[in-house]
Amino acid sequence: SLLFYITETKTNCQKENNSQEKDRSVLKAVDNTEESLMIRFEFARSTATSMKILKSDASPPKSITDDAIDSLGKVEKHSSDTGEFGSAYLAFLNVWSGLKQMPWAYCNISQARAIVQEAASCLQKAAIDWGRKSTPYENLLLKVAEADAEGGFLFGGLLTIASKRYHFCIEKSETLSNKNQKNIIQAHCMAGISRLSLSGFQQPSETKEAHVPSDVAEKFSRMSLVEAEKVVVDSESGRYTGIPFVTKRSREFHKSLASQLVADSLIRGGNFDDAAAFLESAVADTPQDFEAVFALGFFRLRTVCFHTDEEALSGWKTAQKQLLKAAKLDPSKPSPFALLGYWYERKGDATRAIGCYQKALQFDAAHPVAGRGILRLKGFYEAKSLCETATNANSPFNGWAWSAIGMHKSSIDNDNEMAAICLQEALRSTDISSPQNESMSKFYSVTLAKSKELSDTWTDLALCYRRLGRFSAAIKAFNSALFTVKDKLSPSAFVSWAQVELELGLVDEAAEKFQNVIEQNDTSLVPVASFGRGCALLSIAQREAHDGKAGSAYSALTEAISVVKHCLSSTENKSKNFLCMMKILGDMHTFGNMLPPDVFSDEASELKPTDKVTADLQSQISFIAEGEKYYRIAEESI
């Protein structure tokens, strides 16, 4: 109500305010009633918005983030866009929200960096124009927010910078006079370091000995938990954390975050019993705390789903009980319903699974677990409207929806241009681009195999580019797909990649990839790969012959014939593959006409030179005549 009143009053004052240019100096701003009033309204509006965001249990509205992004670089007198009155810094706090929830929810890495830079400029301007120096705490918040942006929350961040910023803030926070501020900063940064270690980042060390990431993560997450527990909720001193409800939410958030990181660290280290005991202790201490109850339910479900020992298999009911309790404690949270849907799906109860998934999507249209579950159980056609709603949610976790729509556009609608756009959006989403940073990613699939969703999305995009004739872009996309799975790309993707290279004239690379597929002995792909390798080797032979390397050309040609003939033994007559192979064999033998007769000679022969020439010529004619035979077989098979 306060925010609405301030905004309406400010709008009415703006309508009455004349457009005469006024001096921006402090004295005249104070003397001029209208201008001074506008400044007060502007700052009051930003402050009221900040209070609303900090107090709300929901995520900050996307409109707040959009406003901050849209204002970047704009300059208007007496507007929050300028950052002149501190509004840009308040907008930065609203968008980041790092003291009470996972930050940067609606930004990409470039936007996050720009917002931090704009906020820093705002504080500098305030110091120069208004004599208002920024506090050490405000400066530290900027550094912490930068570390969060670079530290894996957003795709494309620089982990080394994040680690340095976290360590810097821990050190500098010791100088803060407000204990709550110090404890929250340290709890947040230690949790950040723990999260970096769990993602595989090697933390800097004064010694050269290697550290186990899970050990480093456990150490810092436990330290984070200790600092969070030191926060005094009823404190009323200091800025931004001095208000009791803000301090309480920050304390709860960081305790929950640290507890989950401790459990994750213990799990990574194989200490499942210790992780269970830790989470159970947290629930015993705060049985009505949603985060603690949900963390235990999450752990129980993860244990029974991804471990096959007898004790784990007996824990299905325990996992369900904890998740149901979490859902009752806070029915507005989507994740318990999503995981209950996963639980029912694994137990074979599709009807209840769909009901739980749909309930989760009511609270979060882009929930990555619920969305994928609906697609698995109902298919794209029935879930199409849900996918479209998810893409409109502008969530960082709606990659599953963009990917499903992109695949439909490509395979059914034959709209490869739109499919490419959708797949690009999917690749920008956190749940596709960096699922390893999300604990929920364990439940993106019902199989125990490691997900290849990122690689598959890059491959699908490459195929779209190929169909659009954008071969260079297709090659880059295939390279990205290969990079994500570390040389374990699917055989079908290698075939498609090799075909693009063949079309671009990269015959050596194509021949190598086709051979890779042949060696994997996928019966459905061997005929295609053999034909492709034969074509590539024929092109190599033609290139070598053009360069005057007749011997190399003949070797490539005979290898090509051998590859295709070997595959023919498993290829049925009259099939499309059979006809193509007969045709390419005819082309290969016919190409022998372009080589000198001596390459066809029998090296073991002891004929006289004059007789050897005749023999070589006869061998070449016989070789070429084979081509006519294959052409006739192909013609008769039509």
Side-chain angles (χ1 to χ4, degrees):
S1 299
L2 175 64
L3 177 59
F4 176 78
Y5 172 76
I6 293 172
T7 304
E8 287 297 306
T9 308
K10 174 178 176 288
T11 303
N12 293 333
C13 289
Q14 284 178 326
K15 291 178 180 178
E16 297 174 3
N17 192 16
N18 59 49
S19 59
Q20 182 181 358
E21 185 67 26
K22 299 181 180 69
D23 190 283
R24 287 195 177 189
S25 67
V26 176
L27 290 176
K28 288 198 175 183
V30 172
D31 291 340
N32 189 299
T33 303
E34 289 185 353
E35 186 162 354
S36 178
L37 186 61
M38 294 302 297
I39 293 172
R40 291 169 182 266
F41 275 131
E42 186 62 39
F43 191 78
R45 185 175 72 88
S46 298
T47 304
T49 301
S50 300
M51 297 295 290
K52 176 177 179 292
I53 296 303
L54 287 170
K55 189 171 183 178
S56 173
D57 288 332
S59 300
K62 183 178 181 297
S63 59
I64 299 293
T65 308
D66 289 341
D67 289 343
I69 294 170
D70 292 341
S71 69
L72 296 175
K74 296 181 180 179
V75 177
E76 296 178 13
K77 192 173 182 182
H78 309 319
S79 169
S80 59
D81 294 343
T82 66
E84 189 169 356
F85 312 117
S87 299
Y89 187 79
L90 290 173
F92 146 72
L93 289 177
N94 295 339
V95 174
W96 171 49
S97 304
L99 297 183
K100 74 180 214 28
Q101 66 173 14
M102 303 299 271
W104 299 124
Y106 300 104
C107 297
N108 59 38
I109 186 65
S110 300
Q111 292 166 345
R113 288 168 178 165
I115 289 172
V116 173
Q117 185 177 5
E118 191 89 353
S121 300
C122 164
L123 294 184
Q124 292 174 0
K125 188 172 181 60
I128 296 171
D129 291 354
W130 299 90
R132 190 274 195 195
K133 294 183 179 179
S134 56
T135 66
Y137 186 57
E138 289 172 328
N139 293 328
L140 280 179
L141 288 181
L142 286 171
K143 296 294 184 184
V144 173
E146 183 184 1
D148 285 339
E150 302 291 351
F153 281 115
L154 302 174
F155 179 66
L158 303 175
L159 301 187
T160 303
I161 291 179
S163 177
K164 290 180 180 178
R165 295 289 186 272
Y166 283 136
H167 284 284
F168 172 84
C169 292
I170 291 173
E171 179 183 350
K172 292 299 181 182
S173 65
E174 293 290 345
T175 62
L176 295 175
S177 58
N178 185 291
K179 291 184 178 180
N180 269 357
Q181 293 176 353
K182 169 190 169 183
N183 294 333
I184 289 176
I185 285 288
Q186 293 198 351
H188 191 93
C189 292
M190 289 171 180
I193 293 172
S194 174
R195 186 170 42 77
L196 288 176
S197 297
L198 287 174
S199 69
F201 177 76
Q202 185 69 43
Q203 296 291 340
S205 173
E206 295 180 359
T207 62
K208 293 185 178 179
E209 59 181 86
H211 294 284
V212 179
S214 60
D215 293 343
V216 176
E218 181 184 352
K219 171 187 172 183
F220 278 96
S221 56
R222 288 188 181 277
M223 291 167 62
S224 174
L225 185 59
V226 170
E227 294 299 324
E229 289 175 340
K230 291 179 182 178
V231 176
V232 180
V233 174
D234 60 357
S235 172
E236 295 186 7
S237 61
R239 249 177 228 158
Y240 307 118
T241 58
I243 305 170
F245 68 74
V246 177
T247 306
K248 182 180 179 181
R249 282 191 57 79
S250 183
R251 182 176 186 269
E252 290 175 349
F253 167 70
H254 285 96
K255 280 187 64 177
S256 172
L257 177 62
S259 297
Q260 292 180 39
L261 288 170
V262 170
D264 282 347
S265 304
L266 292 170
I267 292 170
R268 295 283 184 92
N271 302 317
F272 298 101
D273 293 337
D274 291 343
F278 181 85
L279 291 172
E280 287 172 351
S281 175
V283 172
D285 292 340
T286 55
Q288 298 303 311
D289 179 36
F290 165 81
E291 297 293 349
V293 173
F294 175 71
L296 180 58
F298 176 90
F299 170 76
R300 290 301 186 194
L301 182 62
R302 176 177 175 173
T303 302
V304 297
C305 287
F306 302 104
H307 298 87
T308 56
D309 55 90
E310 293 183 3
E311 184 178 353
L313 292 175
S314 66
W316 282 97
K317 277 294 182 182
T318 306
Q320 182 195 29
K321 180 180 178 181
Q322 286 298 132
L323 292 171
L324 285 170
K325 183 179 179 181
K328 290 178 181 179
L329 285 173
D330 192 344
S332 66
K333 300 290 187 182
S335 291
F337 293 105
L339 295 190
L340 281 169
Y342 189 90
W343 189 94
Y344 284 118
E345 184 180 359
R346 287 292 299 268
K347 299 298 285 184
D349 191 341
T351 302
R352 289 186 177 181
I354 290 172
C356 289
Y357 285 143
Q358 289 175 333
K359 184 75 172 178
L361 292 174
Q362 289 178 11
F363 297 113
D364 181 1
H367 198 285
V369 175
R372 286 170 169 81
I374 285 289
L375 283 174
R376 284 193 301 270
L377 296 176
K378 299 186 71 174
F380 178 79
Y381 284 104
E382 291 188 52
K384 183 178 180 181
S385 61
L386 294 174
C387 291
E388 292 172 347
T389 303
T391 58
N392 293 329
N394 292 301
S395 166
F397 303 107
N398 61 2
W400 60 271
W402 282 113
S403 179
I405 293 175
M407 287 300 299
H408 180 79
K409 292 287 184 183
S410 173
S411 59
I412 305 300
D413 295 345
N414 199 28
D415 187 352
N416 289 293
E417 194 70 50
M418 184 56 67
I421 293 173
C422 292
L423 293 171
Q424 288 169 351
E425 288 291 339
L427 290 168
R428 296 187 185 102
S429 302
T430 303
D431 61 320
I432 296 288
S433 63
S434 50
Q436 69 278 4
N437 295 328
E438 301 298 327
S439 57
M440 284 284 179
S441 64
K442 296 288 184 182
F443 304 102
Y444 286 178
S445 171
V446 293
T447 63
L448 298 180
K450 187 176 180 181
S451 174
K452 293 184 178 180
E453 199 170 19
L454 178 57
S455 172
D456 292 342
T457 305
W458 274 114
T459 301
D460 294 335
L461 180 60
L463 295 175
C464 286
Y465 284 146
R466 180 192 176 190
R467 288 189 287 267
L468 290 169
R470 298 162 61 180
F471 297 126
S472 296
I475 293 292
K476 291 179 181 179
F478 278 124
N479 272 307
S480 297
L482 181 64
F483 177 77
T484 62
V485 291
K486 298 179 180 178
D487 300 330
K488 295 182 180 179
L489 202 60
S490 66
S492 60
F494 267 118
V495 167
S496 299
W497 190 353
Q499 288 172 338
V500 172
E501 289 179 330
L502 196 59
E503 292 172 8
L504 286 175
L506 303 174
V507 290
D508 296 284
E509 294 86 343
E512 181 180 352
K513 290 179 177 63
F514 282 128
Q515 181 61 28
N516 181 301
V517 176
I518 293 171
E519 291 173 356
Q520 294 186 51
N521 200 29
D522 186 328
T523 55
S524 64
L525 293 173
V526 166
V528 178
S530 298
F531 178 80
R533 180 167 172 79
C535 292
L537 290 170
L538 176 59
S539 297
I540 291 173
Q542 292 169 339
R543 181 192 65 196
E544 297 296 284
H546 182 270
D547 291 341
K549 302 175 182 178
S552 297
Y554 182 72
S555 297
L557 188 61
T558 53
E559 183 181 355
I561 294 172
S562 174
V563 168
V564 176
K565 284 185 175 180
H566 182 268
C567 181
L568 276 174
S569 59
S570 59
T571 305
E572 294 182 4
N573 291 355
K574 308 291 183 180
S575 70
K576 185 177 180 181
N577 288 332
F578 178 81
L579 293 175
C580 290
M581 289 182 182
M582 290 294 107
K583 168 64 169 58
I584 196 66
L585 280 173
D587 293 343
M588 291 172 181
H589 282 278
T590 302
F591 179 70
N593 183 54
M594 304 300 296
L595 302 177
D598 59 336
V599 300
F600 298 91
S601 65
D602 183 1
E603 295 181 357
S605 174
E606 297 181 357
L607 295 175
K608 296 180 180 179
T610 53
D611 296 333
K612 187 174 181 303
V613 171
T614 303
D616 293 345
L617 189 58
Q618 287 295 331
S619 297
Q620 183 181 26
I621 293 172
S622 299
F623 184 88
I624 297 170
E626 285 285 309
E628 181 181 0
K629 181 184 74 173
Y630 290 118
Y631 283 141
R632 290 188 180 280
I633 294 174
E635 183 181 20
E636 292 170 358
S637 300
I638 297 176

